Amino acid sequence: MGLWRGELSTGEITWAPEVYDILGCPEFNGTLEDFQQWIHQDDRAAANKAMIAAFSEGVSLSAEFRWWHQDGEWRWMLIRGQCEFDKSGVAARMFGTVQDITETHNAAEELRSSEMRFRQLAESIEEVFWLTDVDQTEIYYISPGYETVWGRTCESLFESPRQWFEAIHPDDRGYVESAFSSLQTSGYDVEYRILRPAGEIRWIRDRAFPVRDEHGTVVRIAGVAEDVTRRRELEAQLRHAQKMQSIGELAGGVAHDFNNLLTVISTAAQLLDRTLPKDAESRELVDEIRMAQQRATSLTRQLLAFSRREVVAPRVIEVDAVVVDTEKMLRRLLGEDVRLVTNLNAAGLHVRIDPGQLVQVLMNLAVNARDAMVNGGALHIRTSERLPFRAIEVNPDCGPYVELSVVDTGDGMSAEVRSRVFEPFFTTKDSGQGTGMGLSVVHGIVVQNGGHLEVFSEEGKGAAFVIYLPVVQPVAEPPQAVDSVVVNHAETVLVVEDESSVRRMVEWSKGRSAARGTPSSLQPAAWKRFGPWLTGSIQT
């Protein structure tokens, strides 16, 4: 430091020799005016104001400014002064110091820049950065992301450091506390649920790392926490989709094999019906077999629809038009106690789907809603143009979708029931009141046609099934050629079937037809000749 003294009555300033060394300005003549000329022009006005006020008014002086040094660079200087008063209380002179604070100023500026960069980083990243003592009972730092994720203020956490732990779901606190024991060695990486003030549950991934001093002793705990709720939801959706795919493959295989058995049962029942006399008592048994076969065939068709193996004829249609055409049928199906309300806003938007499948979807959802409104209610069917978040996640460049929502005011579903609602044969109805295939068929049809299906429901608050079907551009359907049919009874029909029981039924049917005088269209010799080399099946 360099000392100086100024006489307030004369304005004369006396500088100690160290001042000239610090200022590095040999041309400085010691006057206040000359002193001011070497100050950086951007700092001169503020420095002059402070010095003039100090000398004229007798107030304390403190000013920082850049000074041109003889080394050819600007140095940061700090000048300070304090008044001395005479016996009458009048400021007589001022004593002060001059100090080169360039290194200190640069270090402070670098610290401010570093803090600003860290603040920008911490405030821009969604993750929560934190630093605590070893026991995590004192918070040294918490990033602003805490307020977004936990829904609580950072100030409240500083006041009550255990607040973050108290927000953890009671069922998860046990294993989170167990993870603390590893902090002295390797830290931890855990996922747990937290309860936000409004009761919302969020999933958190929390990673902690021990901070050691030069002796290897853990002195602090640093960590980062992130909200992984969305990732958890997507993982659950993926697991559900994989489970539904596996169940669908199983259902399709069972339906295919069961269909072969039904073919044998149906054919045998028809042959028995032709063989038995019209007045035979056993014909009633045959009728029972045929009715059971028809119910089983309907169930097989549902299984095929769920597994997306059903043979369909999709074409470009308007969803609104199908809803209008089906509305009268739905009103009869719902009965007098359920009010049907439609709000159609997708006119002119087309999708590609078998119209019969779309009607089947509406019917199944309507029946399911009706059964959930035992005391009556309302069923709302709405259509609009929408872009579902699932489609965006799969393909960010996907086009618009037609949203078809079916919302009821029924009993609603619990979270457990909602998670299994599309599983085949899963039902909450009493025995004999449902097969549990209705919603499974809806799921299969929607997925088969490239759509997405979501369900929202809470107990006592009804249920909403939201279907998204991709919008397509209508195209003119080419006229279908009509094949001419040549009637002749001398053809040979080659039957290709890998199920031996079905082949036997076909041959048996041929024999019975010939016995009744019907021209035979099947030559057993052809089958015996070509059958061993051919495989496949006939779908009817």
Side-chain angles (χ1 to χ4, degrees):
M1 290 185 183
L3 302 177
W4 58 270
R5 184 185 67 183
E7 295 293 335
L8 300 185
S9 58
T10 63
E12 181 183 357
I13 303 177
T14 305
W15 307 89
E18 294 83 5
V19 173
Y20 296 93
D21 295 334
I22 294 172
L23 296 179
C25 185
E27 299 180 6
F28 172 51
N29 60 19
T31 64
L32 182 61
E33 291 77 9
D34 193 25
F35 178 84
Q36 295 171 345
Q37 296 303 315
W38 294 90
I39 298 175
H40 193 286
Q41 61 179 2
D42 292 343
D43 304 334
R44 190 175 301 162
N48 289 348
K49 181 179 180 180
M51 287 186 287
I52 292 173
F55 282 97
S56 60
E57 301 175 14
V59 297
S60 300
L61 170 63
S62 179
E64 289 185 13
F65 48 83
R66 284 164 290 181
W67 176 277
W68 183 253
H69 197 272
Q70 65 180 359
D71 292 341
E73 62 180 8
W74 291 101
R75 298 282 188 89
W76 278 95
M77 300 292 173
L78 171 62
I79 184 170
R80 289 177 176 172
Q82 193 70 29
C83 287
E84 183 183 74
F85 299 89
D86 59 17
K87 294 181 179 180
S88 61
V90 178
R93 62 189 56 86
M94 178 172 286
F95 296 91
T97 61
V98 173
Q99 182 181 3
D100 187 334
I101 61 170
T102 303
E103 293 184 2
T104 305
H105 185 279
N106 291 342
E109 186 63 29
E110 180 61 30
L111 179 60
R112 283 192 293 270
S113 299
S114 176
E115 289 179 346
M116 182 185 66
R117 290 192 296 268
F118 178 79
R119 188 180 304 110
Q120 291 173 341
L121 176 68
E123 293 177 356
S124 302
I125 295 180
E126 297 179 355
E127 285 77 6
V128 182
F129 298 96
W130 52 269
L131 186 67
T132 71
D133 63 345
V134 176
D135 298 325
Q136 292 188 330
T137 57
E138 182 180 357
I139 307 297
Y140 296 141
Y141 175 78
I142 188 73
S143 67
Y146 175 79
E147 299 185 353
T148 303
V149 177
W150 262 261
R152 296 167 171 84
T153 63
C154 294
E155 289 76 11
S156 65
L157 182 64
F158 284 114
E159 295 173 359
S160 178
R162 294 288 293 177
Q163 181 190 86
W164 74 273
F165 183 80
E166 294 170 357
I168 297 177
H169 195 285
D171 296 342
D172 299 343
R173 291 179 185 174
Y175 72 82
V176 174
E177 282 184 316
S178 300
F180 289 171
S181 60
S182 63
L183 287 176
Q184 298 293 335
T185 56
S186 60
Y188 65 73
D189 186 345
V190 295
E191 292 189 7
Y192 52 82
R193 292 164 293 176
I194 63 169
L195 294 172
R196 290 166 57 89
E200 180 187 6
I201 296 178
R202 308 294 295 180
W203 274 97
I204 304 299
R205 183 189 179 190
D206 195 359
R207 289 169 288 171
F209 314 93
V211 179
R212 304 179 186 274
D213 60 13
E214 63 274 11
H215 304 294
T217 304
V218 178
V219 293
R220 291 182 180 85
I221 303 297
V224 57
E226 59 178 322
D227 189 335
V228 295
T229 305
R230 185 72 189 117
R231 191 204 73 195
R232 281 267 184 165
E233 292 175 350
L234 292 175
E235 289 175 350
Q237 293 173 6
L238 177 60
R239 288 193 296 270
H240 182 266
Q242 291 173 338
K243 180 178 68 175
M244 297 301 292
Q245 182 179 2
S246 299
I247 295 175
E249 292 175 355
L250 175 62
V254 170
H256 175 74
D257 293 338
F258 193 46
N259 198 41
N260 286 332
L261 299 177
L262 289 177
T263 301
V264 176
I265 296 173
S266 175
T267 305
Q270 292 178 15
L271 294 175
L272 285 174
D273 185 46
R274 294 179 181 180
T275 304
L276 294 173
K278 293 184 178 182
D279 57 349
E281 297 180 359
S282 54
R283 293 182 67 88
E284 295 182 3
L285 298 176
V286 175
D287 292 338
E288 289 293 333
I289 293 174
R290 295 178 64 179
M291 286 188 293
Q293 174 265 326
Q294 292 172 358
R295 290 194 297 269
T297 299
S298 176
L299 180 60
T300 304
R301 187 176 298 110
Q302 290 179 322
L303 282 172
L304 288 172
F306 168 73
S307 63
R308 304 189 293 280
R309 297 187 183 183
E310 185 182 27
V311 179
V312 295
R315 57 188 178 89
V316 178
I317 61 172
E318 277 194 50
V319 175
D320 285 7
V322 175
V323 175
V324 171
D325 293 341
T326 315
E327 187 173 348
K328 184 178 296 184
M329 186 190 310
L330 293 176
R331 294 186 187 278
R332 289 196 300 266
L333 184 67
L334 294 172
E336 297 179 355
D337 296 334
V338 177
R339 182 168 53 94
L340 177 62
V341 181
T342 59
N343 184 8
L344 308 181
N345 303 288
L349 297 178
H350 296 76
V351 300
R352 186 173 182 81
I353 189 174
D354 188 318
Q357 283 189 318
L358 187 54
V359 171
Q360 188 176 8
V361 166
L362 292 170
M363 298 284 285
N364 286 355
L365 292 177
V367 169
N368 199 67
R370 180 199 63 191
D371 295 342
M373 297 183 287
V374 291
N375 297 321
L379 180 67
H380 298 264
I381 299 179
R382 306 186 186 97
T383 62
S384 62
E385 182 178 353
R386 191 69 59 86
L387 194 62
F389 73 88
R390 281 193 191 176
I392 299 175
E393 292 167 350
V394 175
N395 179 15
D397 299 326
C398 65
Y401 283 67
V402 171
E403 178 188 87
L404 171 62
S405 61
V406 180
V407 184
D408 65 65
T409 59
D411 298 333
M413 293 175 281
S414 64
E416 179 183 0
V417 172
R418 191 172 62 249
S419 64
R420 301 185 58 192
V421 72
F422 297 120
E423 294 181 10
F425 305 112
F426 173 77
T427 179
T428 57
K429 300 176 182 178
D430 295 334
S431 178
Q433 294 186 1
T435 62
M437 286 298 300
L439 295 179
S440 303
V441 169
V442 171
H443 181 275
I445 291 174
V446 172
V447 175
Q448 181 183 22
N449 290 278
H452 304 274
L453 177 60
E454 298 173 1
V455 57
F456 306 93
S457 181
E458 294 182 21
E459 289 185 288
K461 296 184 179 180
F465 290 86
V466 184
I467 298 168
Y468 299 97
L469 295 173
V471 173
V472 299
Q473 296 299 322
V475 294
E477 295 288 343
Q480 297 183 355
V482 179
D483 297 333
S484 59
V485 179
V486 179
V487 180
N488 198 334
H489 299 298
E491 291 79 17
T492 298
V493 177
L494 176 63
V495 178
V496 182
E497 172 58 54
D498 59 351
E499 183 66 36
S500 60
S501 58
V502 176
R503 293 199 302 268
R504 287 195 299 271
M505 284 297 102
V506 174
E507 292 192 40
W508 190 271
S509 300
K510 167 260 176 186
R512 296 307 305 168
S513 297
R516 293 173 60 91
T518 303
S520 175
S521 59
L522 179 67
Q523 300 296 329
W527 171 257
K528 292 176 181 178
R529 179 179 178 184
F530 297 106
W533 287 274
L534 299 174
T535 59
S537 62
I538 295 177
Q539 294 185 355
T540 58

PDB file of all heavy atoms in Angstrom, residues 178-203:
ATOM      1  N   SER A 178     -31.388 -48.225   3.639  1.00  0.00           N
ATOM      2  CA  SER A 178     -30.362 -49.258   3.525  1.00  0.00           C
ATOM      3  C   SER A 178     -29.263 -48.838   2.559  1.00  0.00           C
ATOM      4  O   SER A 178     -28.090 -49.183   2.738  1.00  0.00           O
ATOM      5  CB  SER A 178     -30.992 -50.569   3.049  1.00  0.00           C
ATOM      6  OG  SER A 178     -31.980 -51.023   3.961  1.00  0.00           O
ATOM      7  N   ALA A 179     -29.651 -48.084   1.525  1.00  0.00           N
ATOM      8  CA  ALA A 179     -28.651 -47.635   0.554  1.00  0.00           C
ATOM      9  C   ALA A 179     -27.669 -46.648   1.171  1.00  0.00           C
ATOM     10  O   ALA A 179     -26.532 -46.518   0.708  1.00  0.00           O
ATOM     11  CB  ALA A 179     -29.348 -47.002  -0.654  1.00  0.00           C
ATOM     12  N   PHE A 180     -28.083 -45.926   2.234  1.00  0.00           N
ATOM     13  CA  PHE A 180     -27.187 -44.966   2.875  1.00  0.00           C
ATOM     14  C   PHE A 180     -25.918 -45.628   3.405  1.00  0.00           C
ATOM     15  O   PHE A 180     -24.867 -44.994   3.489  1.00  0.00           O
ATOM     16  CB  PHE A 180     -27.895 -44.260   4.034  1.00  0.00           C
ATOM     17  CG  PHE A 180     -28.956 -43.293   3.588  1.00  0.00           C
ATOM     18  CD1 PHE A 180     -29.813 -42.707   4.502  1.00  0.00           C
ATOM     19  CD2 PHE A 180     -29.111 -42.968   2.254  1.00  0.00           C
ATOM     20  CE1 PHE A 180     -30.798 -41.825   4.103  1.00  0.00           C
ATOM     21  CE2 PHE A 180     -30.088 -42.089   1.838  1.00  0.00           C
ATOM     22  CZ  PHE A 180     -30.934 -41.512   2.760  1.00  0.00           C
ATOM     23  N   SER A 181     -26.033 -46.894   3.787  1.00  0.00           N
ATOM     24  CA  SER A 181     -24.893 -47.577   4.403  1.00  0.00           C
ATOM     25  C   SER A 181     -23.718 -47.727   3.434  1.00  0.00           C
ATOM     26  O   SER A 181     -22.591 -47.942   3.870  1.00  0.00           O
ATOM     27  CB  SER A 181     -25.320 -48.957   4.912  1.00  0.00           C
ATOM     28  OG  SER A 181     -25.806 -49.755   3.829  1.00  0.00           O
ATOM     29  N   SER A 182     -23.964 -47.623   2.154  1.00  0.00           N
ATOM     30  CA  SER A 182     -22.889 -47.787   1.160  1.00  0.00           C
ATOM     31  C   SER A 182     -22.174 -46.481   0.841  1.00  0.00           C
ATOM     32  O   SER A 182     -21.249 -46.470   0.044  1.00  0.00           O
ATOM     33  CB  SER A 182     -23.460 -48.383  -0.134  1.00  0.00           C
ATOM     34  OG  SER A 182     -24.405 -47.491  -0.723  1.00  0.00           O
ATOM     35  N   LEU A 183     -22.592 -45.373   1.464  1.00  0.00           N
ATOM     36  CA  LEU A 183     -22.014 -44.079   1.126  1.00  0.00           C
ATOM     37  C   LEU A 183     -20.537 -43.992   1.495  1.00  0.00           C
ATOM     38  O   LEU A 183     -19.773 -43.262   0.851  1.00  0.00           O
ATOM     39  CB  LEU A 183     -22.788 -42.960   1.832  1.00  0.00           C
ATOM     40  CG  LEU A 183     -24.182 -42.655   1.260  1.00  0.00           C
ATOM     41  CD1 LEU A 183     -24.874 -41.606   2.098  1.00  0.00           C
ATOM     42  CD2 LEU A 183     -24.076 -42.186  -0.182  1.00  0.00           C
ATOM     43  N   GLN A 184     -20.107 -44.698   2.528  1.00  0.00           N
ATOM     44  CA  GLN A 184     -18.719 -44.620   2.950  1.00  0.00           C
ATOM     45  C   GLN A 184     -17.781 -45.370   2.008  1.00  0.00           C
ATOM     46  O   GLN A 184     -16.570 -45.231   2.098  1.00  0.00           O
ATOM     47  CB  GLN A 184     -18.577 -45.193   4.376  1.00  0.00           C
ATOM     48  CG  GLN A 184     -19.358 -44.426   5.423  1.00  0.00           C
ATOM     49  CD  GLN A 184     -18.808 -43.025   5.647  1.00  0.00           C
ATOM     50  OE1 GLN A 184     -17.637 -42.768   5.396  1.00  0.00           O
ATOM     51  NE2 GLN A 184     -19.651 -42.115   6.100  1.00  0.00           N
ATOM     52  N   THR A 185     -18.341 -46.165   1.109  1.00  0.00           N
ATOM     53  CA  THR A 185     -17.498 -46.964   0.207  1.00  0.00           C
ATOM     54  C   THR A 185     -17.680 -46.577  -1.254  1.00  0.00           C
ATOM     55  O   THR A 185     -16.766 -46.092  -1.906  1.00  0.00           O
ATOM     56  CB  THR A 185     -17.803 -48.461   0.392  1.00  0.00           C
ATOM     57  OG1 THR A 185     -19.218 -48.676   0.183  1.00  0.00           O
ATOM     58  CG2 THR A 185     -17.423 -48.916   1.791  1.00  0.00           C
ATOM     59  N   SER A 186     -18.871 -46.764  -1.765  1.00  0.00           N
ATOM     60  CA  SER A 186     -19.052 -46.566  -3.204  1.00  0.00           C
ATOM     61  C   SER A 186     -20.262 -45.734  -3.582  1.00  0.00           C
ATOM     62  O   SER A 186     -20.547 -45.577  -4.759  1.00  0.00           O
ATOM     63  CB  SER A 186     -19.173 -47.937  -3.886  1.00  0.00           C
ATOM     64  OG  SER A 186     -20.296 -48.640  -3.363  1.00  0.00           O
ATOM     65  N   GLY A 187     -21.001 -45.204  -2.626  1.00  0.00           N
ATOM     66  CA  GLY A 187     -22.193 -44.444  -2.969  1.00  0.00           C
ATOM     67  C   GLY A 187     -23.372 -45.355  -3.243  1.00  0.00           C
ATOM     68  O   GLY A 187     -23.366 -46.547  -2.912  1.00  0.00           O
ATOM     69  N   TYR A 188     -24.405 -44.803  -3.856  1.00  0.00           N
ATOM     70  CA  TYR A 188     -25.578 -45.617  -4.168  1.00  0.00           C
ATOM     71  C   TYR A 188     -26.244 -45.103  -5.430  1.00  0.00           C
ATOM     72  O   TYR A 188     -26.010 -43.978  -5.880  1.00  0.00           O
ATOM     73  CB  TYR A 188     -26.561 -45.658  -2.991  1.00  0.00           C
ATOM     74  CG  TYR A 188     -27.201 -44.327  -2.635  1.00  0.00           C
ATOM     75  CD1 TYR A 188     -28.189 -43.754  -3.432  1.00  0.00           C
ATOM     76  CD2 TYR A 188     -26.841 -43.654  -1.470  1.00  0.00           C
ATOM     77  CE1 TYR A 188     -28.777 -42.556  -3.109  1.00  0.00           C
ATOM     78  CE2 TYR A 188     -27.429 -42.450  -1.128  1.00  0.00           C
ATOM     79  CZ  TYR A 188     -28.394 -41.908  -1.948  1.00  0.00           C
ATOM     80  OH  TYR A 188     -28.978 -40.708  -1.619  1.00  0.00           O
ATOM     81  N   ASP A 189     -27.085 -45.942  -5.998  1.00  0.00           N
ATOM     82  CA  ASP A 189     -27.877 -45.629  -7.184  1.00  0.00           C
ATOM     83  C   ASP A 189     -29.223 -46.304  -6.996  1.00  0.00           C
ATOM     84  O   ASP A 189     -29.357 -47.522  -7.177  1.00  0.00           O
ATOM     85  CB  ASP A 189     -27.186 -46.125  -8.449  1.00  0.00           C
ATOM     86  CG  ASP A 189     -27.903 -45.678  -9.728  1.00  0.00           C
ATOM     87  OD1 ASP A 189     -29.065 -45.233  -9.631  1.00  0.00           O
ATOM     88  OD2 ASP A 189     -27.310 -45.792 -10.810  1.00  0.00           O
ATOM     89  N   VAL A 190     -30.246 -45.544  -6.575  1.00  0.00           N
ATOM     90  CA  VAL A 190     -31.541 -46.120  -6.229  1.00  0.00           C
ATOM     91  C   VAL A 190     -32.654 -45.363  -6.933  1.00  0.00           C
ATOM     92  O   VAL A 190     -32.488 -44.210  -7.339  1.00  0.00           O
ATOM     93  CB  VAL A 190     -31.783 -46.092  -4.698  1.00  0.00           C
ATOM     94  CG1 VAL A 190     -30.785 -46.985  -3.979  1.00  0.00           C
ATOM     95  CG2 VAL A 190     -31.694 -44.665  -4.164  1.00  0.00           C
ATOM     96  N   GLU A 191     -33.771 -46.034  -7.075  1.00  0.00           N
ATOM     97  CA  GLU A 191     -34.989 -45.406  -7.593  1.00  0.00           C
ATOM     98  C   GLU A 191     -36.082 -45.566  -6.548  1.00  0.00           C
ATOM     99  O   GLU A 191     -36.254 -46.650  -5.980  1.00  0.00           O
ATOM    100  CB  GLU A 191     -35.414 -46.047  -8.926  1.00  0.00           C
ATOM    101  CG  GLU A 191     -34.454 -45.748 -10.068  1.00  0.00           C
ATOM    102  CD  GLU A 191     -34.994 -46.192 -11.423  1.00  0.00           C
ATOM    103  OE1 GLU A 191     -36.169 -46.617 -11.469  1.00  0.00           O
ATOM    104  OE2 GLU A 191     -34.250 -46.119 -12.412  1.00  0.00           O
ATOM    105  N   TYR A 192     -36.807 -44.495  -6.317  1.00  0.00           N
ATOM    106  CA  TYR A 192     -37.867 -44.523  -5.321  1.00  0.00           C
ATOM    107  C   TYR A 192     -38.955 -43.529  -5.712  1.00  0.00           C
ATOM    108  O   TYR A 192     -38.775 -42.688  -6.603  1.00  0.00           O
ATOM    109  CB  TYR A 192     -37.324 -44.203  -3.933  1.00  0.00           C
ATOM    110  CG  TYR A 192     -36.509 -42.936  -3.843  1.00  0.00           C
ATOM    111  CD1 TYR A 192     -37.118 -41.678  -3.725  1.00  0.00           C
ATOM    112  CD2 TYR A 192     -35.116 -42.984  -3.872  1.00  0.00           C
ATOM    113  CE1 TYR A 192     -36.375 -40.520  -3.645  1.00  0.00           C
ATOM    114  CE2 TYR A 192     -34.356 -41.821  -3.797  1.00  0.00           C
ATOM    115  CZ  TYR A 192     -34.988 -40.595  -3.678  1.00  0.00           C
ATOM    116  OH  TYR A 192     -34.243 -39.451  -3.609  1.00  0.00           O
ATOM    117  N   ARG A 193     -40.065 -43.644  -5.040  1.00  0.00           N
ATOM    118  CA  ARG A 193     -41.189 -42.750  -5.291  1.00  0.00           C
ATOM    119  C   ARG A 193     -41.219 -41.634  -4.242  1.00  0.00           C
ATOM    120  O   ARG A 193     -40.856 -41.850  -3.092  1.00  0.00           O
ATOM    121  CB  ARG A 193     -42.513 -43.520  -5.236  1.00  0.00           C
ATOM    122  CG  ARG A 193     -42.722 -44.505  -6.359  1.00  0.00           C
ATOM    123  CD  ARG A 193     -43.830 -45.480  -6.039  1.00  0.00           C
ATOM    124  NE  ARG A 193     -43.467 -46.359  -4.932  1.00  0.00           N
ATOM    125  CZ  ARG A 193     -44.275 -47.263  -4.398  1.00  0.00           C
ATOM    126  NH1 ARG A 193     -45.512 -47.388  -4.865  1.00  0.00           N
ATOM    127  NH2 ARG A 193     -43.867 -48.025  -3.407  1.00  0.00           N
ATOM    128  N   ILE A 194     -41.660 -40.461  -4.664  1.00  0.00           N
ATOM    129  CA  ILE A 194     -41.872 -39.356  -3.740  1.00  0.00           C
ATOM    130  C   ILE A 194     -43.316 -38.888  -3.857  1.00  0.00           C
ATOM    131  O   ILE A 194     -43.979 -39.092  -4.887  1.00  0.00           O
ATOM    132  CB  ILE A 194     -40.917 -38.177  -4.011  1.00  0.00           C
ATOM    133  CG1 ILE A 194     -41.179 -37.579  -5.400  1.00  0.00           C
ATOM    134  CG2 ILE A 194     -39.472 -38.597  -3.839  1.00  0.00           C
ATOM    135  CD1 ILE A 194     -40.461 -36.255  -5.644  1.00  0.00           C
ATOM    136  N   LEU A 195     -43.789 -38.280  -2.802  1.00  0.00           N
ATOM    137  CA  LEU A 195     -45.133 -37.708  -2.779  1.00  0.00           C
ATOM    138  C   LEU A 195     -45.006 -36.192  -2.805  1.00  0.00           C
ATOM    139  O   LEU A 195     -44.456 -35.590  -1.878  1.00  0.00           O
ATOM    140  CB  LEU A 195     -45.890 -38.158  -1.516  1.00  0.00           C
ATOM    141  CG  LEU A 195     -46.220 -39.649  -1.419  1.00  0.00           C
ATOM    142  CD1 LEU A 195     -46.788 -39.975  -0.043  1.00  0.00           C
ATOM    143  CD2 LEU A 195     -47.219 -40.048  -2.493  1.00  0.00           C
ATOM    144  N   ARG A 196     -45.500 -35.579  -3.864  1.00  0.00           N
ATOM    145  CA  ARG A 196     -45.497 -34.121  -3.942  1.00  0.00           C
ATOM    146  C   ARG A 196     -46.586 -33.567  -3.026  1.00  0.00           C
ATOM    147  O   ARG A 196     -47.486 -34.294  -2.607  1.00  0.00           O
ATOM    148  CB  ARG A 196     -45.717 -33.675  -5.384  1.00  0.00           C
ATOM    149  CG  ARG A 196     -44.512 -33.991  -6.278  1.00  0.00           C
ATOM    150  CD  ARG A 196     -44.861 -33.870  -7.755  1.00  0.00           C
ATOM    151  NE  ARG A 196     -45.362 -32.562  -8.092  1.00  0.00           N
ATOM    152  CZ  ARG A 196     -44.606 -31.540  -8.465  1.00  0.00           C
ATOM    153  NH1 ARG A 196     -43.295 -31.704  -8.546  1.00  0.00           N
ATOM    154  NH2 ARG A 196     -45.132 -30.378  -8.762  1.00  0.00           N
ATOM    155  N   PRO A 197     -46.524 -32.283  -2.682  1.00  0.00           N
ATOM    156  CA  PRO A 197     -47.503 -31.718  -1.739  1.00  0.00           C
ATOM    157  C   PRO A 197     -48.949 -31.946  -2.138  1.00  0.00           C
ATOM    158  O   PRO A 197     -49.822 -32.108  -1.275  1.00  0.00           O
ATOM    159  CB  PRO A 197     -47.146 -30.224  -1.739  1.00  0.00           C
ATOM    160  CG  PRO A 197     -45.705 -30.184  -2.077  1.00  0.00           C
ATOM    161  CD  PRO A 197     -45.483 -31.312  -3.046  1.00  0.00           C
ATOM    162  N   ALA A 198     -49.231 -31.969  -3.454  1.00  0.00           N
ATOM    163  CA  ALA A 198     -50.615 -32.169  -3.904  1.00  0.00           C
ATOM    164  C   ALA A 198     -51.016 -33.640  -3.931  1.00  0.00           C
ATOM    165  O   ALA A 198     -52.141 -33.969  -4.319  1.00  0.00           O
ATOM    166  CB  ALA A 198     -50.808 -31.560  -5.289  1.00  0.00           C
ATOM    167  N   GLY A 199     -50.113 -34.556  -3.528  1.00  0.00           N
ATOM    168  CA  GLY A 199     -50.422 -35.980  -3.518  1.00  0.00           C
ATOM    169  C   GLY A 199     -49.967 -36.731  -4.744  1.00  0.00           C
ATOM    170  O   GLY A 199     -50.130 -37.954  -4.813  1.00  0.00           O
ATOM    171  N   GLU A 200     -49.393 -36.037  -5.727  1.00  0.00           N
ATOM    172  CA  GLU A 200     -48.931 -36.691  -6.946  1.00  0.00           C
ATOM    173  C   GLU A 200     -47.690 -37.532  -6.650  1.00  0.00           C
ATOM    174  O   GLU A 200     -46.799 -37.114  -5.899  1.00  0.00           O
ATOM    175  CB  GLU A 200     -48.603 -35.642  -8.009  1.00  0.00           C
ATOM    176  CG  GLU A 200     -48.108 -36.226  -9.323  1.00  0.00           C
ATOM    177  CD  GLU A 200     -47.646 -35.152 -10.285  1.00  0.00           C
ATOM    178  OE1 GLU A 200     -47.618 -33.967  -9.876  1.00  0.00           O
ATOM    179  OE2 GLU A 200     -47.301 -35.478 -11.431  1.00  0.00           O
ATOM    180  N   ILE A 201     -47.632 -38.715  -7.246  1.00  0.00           N
ATOM    181  CA  ILE A 201     -46.500 -39.617  -7.056  1.00  0.00           C
ATOM    182  C   ILE A 201     -45.559 -39.496  -8.254  1.00  0.00           C
ATOM    183  O   ILE A 201     -45.995 -39.562  -9.401  1.00  0.00           O
ATOM    184  CB  ILE A 201     -46.969 -41.077  -6.897  1.00  0.00           C
ATOM    185  CG1 ILE A 201     -47.815 -41.231  -5.628  1.00  0.00           C
ATOM    186  CG2 ILE A 201     -45.771 -42.025  -6.838  1.00  0.00           C
ATOM    187  CD1 ILE A 201     -48.365 -42.623  -5.423  1.00  0.00           C
ATOM    188  N   ARG A 202     -44.269 -39.292  -7.973  1.00  0.00           N
ATOM    189  CA  ARG A 202     -43.256 -39.224  -9.016  1.00  0.00           C
ATOM    190  C   ARG A 202     -42.147 -40.212  -8.698  1.00  0.00           C
ATOM    191  O   ARG A 202     -41.809 -40.448  -7.537  1.00  0.00           O
ATOM    192  CB  ARG A 202     -42.647 -37.816  -9.118  1.00  0.00           C
ATOM    193  CG  ARG A 202     -43.651 -36.696  -9.256  1.00  0.00           C
ATOM    194  CD  ARG A 202     -44.406 -36.768 -10.549  1.00  0.00           C
ATOM    195  NE  ARG A 202     -43.557 -36.579 -11.709  1.00  0.00           N
ATOM    196  CZ  ARG A 202     -44.014 -36.613 -12.964  1.00  0.00           C
ATOM    197  NH1 ARG A 202     -45.297 -36.864 -13.201  1.00  0.00           N
ATOM    198  NH2 ARG A 202     -43.195 -36.424 -13.967  1.00  0.00           N
ATOM    199  N   TRP A 203     -41.568 -40.807  -9.752  1.00  0.00           N
ATOM    200  CA  TRP A 203     -40.449 -41.729  -9.593  1.00  0.00           C
ATOM    201  C   TRP A 203     -39.146 -40.955  -9.735  1.00  0.00           C
ATOM    202  O   TRP A 203     -38.974 -40.165 -10.657  1.00  0.00           O
ATOM    203  CB  TRP A 203     -40.513 -42.832 -10.645  1.00  0.00           C
ATOM    204  CG  TRP A 203     -41.380 -43.987 -10.242  1.00  0.00           C
ATOM    205  CD1 TRP A 203     -42.677 -44.204 -10.592  1.00  0.00           C
ATOM    206  CD2 TRP A 203     -40.994 -45.094  -9.413  1.00  0.00           C
ATOM    207  NE1 TRP A 203     -43.141 -45.373 -10.027  1.00  0.00           N
ATOM    208  CE2 TRP A 203     -42.127 -45.942  -9.303  1.00  0.00           C
ATOM    209  CE3 TRP A 203     -39.810 -45.444  -8.760  1.00  0.00           C
ATOM    210  CZ2 TRP A 203     -42.094 -47.122  -8.566  1.00  0.00           C
ATOM    211  CZ3 TRP A 203     -39.793 -46.616  -8.022  1.00  0.00           C
ATOM    212  CH2 TRP A 203     -40.920 -47.436  -7.926  1.00  0.00           C
TER     213      TRP A 203
END
